Amino acid sequence: MIQTRNYVTVDFQGKEIPSGHLRPFNLTANDGDIHQYATDCIIAHWHQEMEVFISTRGQVRIGIEDQEYLVREGEGCFINSDILHSFTPVDASPCTYHSFVFDTGIVGGAPGSVFDTSCVRPLLESGIPYLQFTPCKEDAPFYDNFSLAFEACRNENPGYEFDVRTALSKILLFLNQKISPVSGAKASSIQEQHMKQMLLFIDRHLSESFGVAELAGSVNICERECQRIFQRYLHYRPMEYVRRKRIYTSAAKLLSCDSLVTDVAFEYGFASPSHYTKQFRELMGMTPTEYRRLNLSAIQLPG
């Protein structure tokens, strides 16, 4: 089944929480427009699953750890397990995509199996966080097998899971050929670990008042180092990221419950409803009430 999502649910560490229906075939196929997300982007997050992605319309900047990559219409990419990543449209035009987020066990099977050691383990241990593809003859195996897997998920004929597994296996084999003879285990940097831990602190304390000093102290670093890490990985000052996180999270809450705007404002750490409304309008272009009315009306429209 193909999903059209407009949110990414993450836990306290910024790790994506998969939808319940992913078990026991732990894969999700997405067909969406990044502009449909409340944040107008897919915020920085990570997951243990691997991801393959194709931009079907428009251009998107993909943040990978502390780097940014431009993916043009028709181009695709691979994102390895446990990599902090984000997706941001380049402009206001439609930014649609297809993607798979899948557990490596779908391809690898039991740890130590020939499938695990030939397809999955080399990628996990290669040190490569990201690989990009263009629609050319050289990268045809990636596109051909992606298309086969996507159509299998769309049609869901009996036994389609085997077709998906075969196609994803061929994609991973192709990836291994692309990166060979690159070797060396991926070493997560101390700064990357600090980044994930600070995201954990932010989510745990989103409704509380805190500053850069408390945020830096949560991982025993100085404020200046905290500033450097946020700029490197998220390209925002720490408290600007916190402000955006509060607004974006509250926007999703407005559409998922009937709580008063006042209650939502206090729940996400704003001093007053008026302050919340001002901050919300600056970032979202409308008041919380207008946002709720507009989006709930759109959701209720037929078709």
Side-chain angles (χ1 to χ4, degrees):
M1 178 175 147
I2 308 296
Q3 283 195 128
T4 301
R5 297 198 294 174
N6 59 5
Y7 63 92
V8 171
T9 305
V10 298
D11 68 8
F12 292 136
Q13 292 179 299
K15 180 180 178 181
E16 182 174 354
I17 302 171
S19 303
H21 72 272
L22 292 179
R23 304 293 191 270
F25 188 55
N26 191 358
L27 172 145
T28 180
N30 297 302
D31 179 2
D33 185 335
I34 297 174
H35 285 300
Q36 296 302 311
Y37 285 70
T39 56
D40 202 36
C41 66
I42 301 176
I43 62 173
H45 65 288
W46 59 281
H47 40 69
Q48 290 180 329
E49 295 80 11
M50 291 179 173
E51 183 167 357
V52 286
F53 172 100
I54 291 178
S55 173
T56 55
R57 186 177 179 187
Q59 300 182 81
V60 57
R61 293 194 186 280
I62 300 182
I64 300 292
E65 298 178 327
D66 60 343
Q67 302 293 317
E68 277 195 350
Y69 301 88
L70 176 64
V71 176
R72 298 175 177 85
E73 185 171 318
E75 294 182 338
C77 68
F78 160 76
I79 300 171
N80 213 336
S81 170
D82 291 342
I83 297 299
L84 192 67
H85 59 286
S86 61
F87 302 85
T88 305
V90 170
D91 52 43
S93 60
C95 190
T96 62
Y97 68 96
H98 291 166
S99 74
F100 290 104
V101 178
F102 60 97
D103 189 282
T104 56
I106 290 176
V107 173
S113 71
V114 65
F115 308 105
D116 180 53
T117 57
S118 64
C119 283
V120 174
R121 198 56 45 191
L123 287 171
L124 293 176
E125 297 176 354
S126 68
I128 187 165
Y130 174 89
L131 197 62
Q132 194 159 324
F133 303 94
T134 57
C136 61
K137 183 177 180 180
E138 179 185 349
D139 288 341
F142 173 81
Y143 287 92
D144 292 345
N145 286 291
F146 190 108
S147 179
L148 288 171
F150 203 81
E151 286 306 306
C153 287
R154 189 190 303 279
N155 297 326
E156 288 194 352
N157 293 325
Y160 81 97
E161 296 93 343
F162 295 99
D163 295 329
V164 173
R165 182 188 186 190
T166 298
L168 291 178
S169 297
K170 290 181 178 179
I171 287 176
L172 295 195
L173 276 173
F174 177 65
L175 286 166
N176 278 294
Q177 294 168 5
K178 290 277 285 187
I179 66 172
S180 182
V182 175
S183 62
K186 177 183 183 297
S188 180
S189 72
I190 293 176
Q191 283 194 337
E192 182 183 344
Q193 291 303 312
H194 284 160
M195 183 74 262
K196 289 181 178 179
Q197 290 167 5
M198 287 189 286
L199 291 176
L200 165 62
F201 177 88
I202 289 169
D203 278 343
R204 283 180 170 171
H205 300 275
L206 206 57
S207 64
E208 303 170 20
S209 176
F210 62 87
V212 177
E214 291 83 0
L215 185 55
S218 70
V219 291
N220 297 314
I221 60 176
C222 67
E223 292 183 38
R224 188 172 180 180
E225 176 66 3
C226 175
Q227 300 274 7
R228 278 197 295 263
I229 291 173
F230 268 81
Q231 186 60 44
R232 177 182 177 185
Y233 286 95
L234 300 181
H235 311 293
Y236 288 113
R237 296 185 302 276
M239 298 316 296
E240 173 60 18
Y241 174 82
V242 172
R243 182 180 79 93
R244 288 172 174 267
K245 176 73 173 179
R246 284 173 170 152
I247 293 295
Y248 293 151
T249 307
S250 72
K253 182 66 176 283
L254 289 169
L255 303 183
S256 66
C257 72
D258 57 2
S259 298
L260 296 175
V261 170
T262 297
D263 294 336
V264 174
F266 289 129
E267 180 178 351
Y268 289 100
F270 291 91
S272 67
S274 60
H275 181 240
Y276 173 57
T277 297
K278 178 183 178 181
Q279 296 285 315
F280 195 100
R281 184 190 287 114
E282 286 180 0
L283 196 57
M284 307 295 284
M286 62 188 76
T287 68
T289 301
E290 291 168 342
Y291 177 84
R292 171 182 268 171
R293 182 171 60 247
L294 178 64
N295 284 277
L296 289 180
S297 298
I299 290 171
Q300 292 166 5
L301 286 175

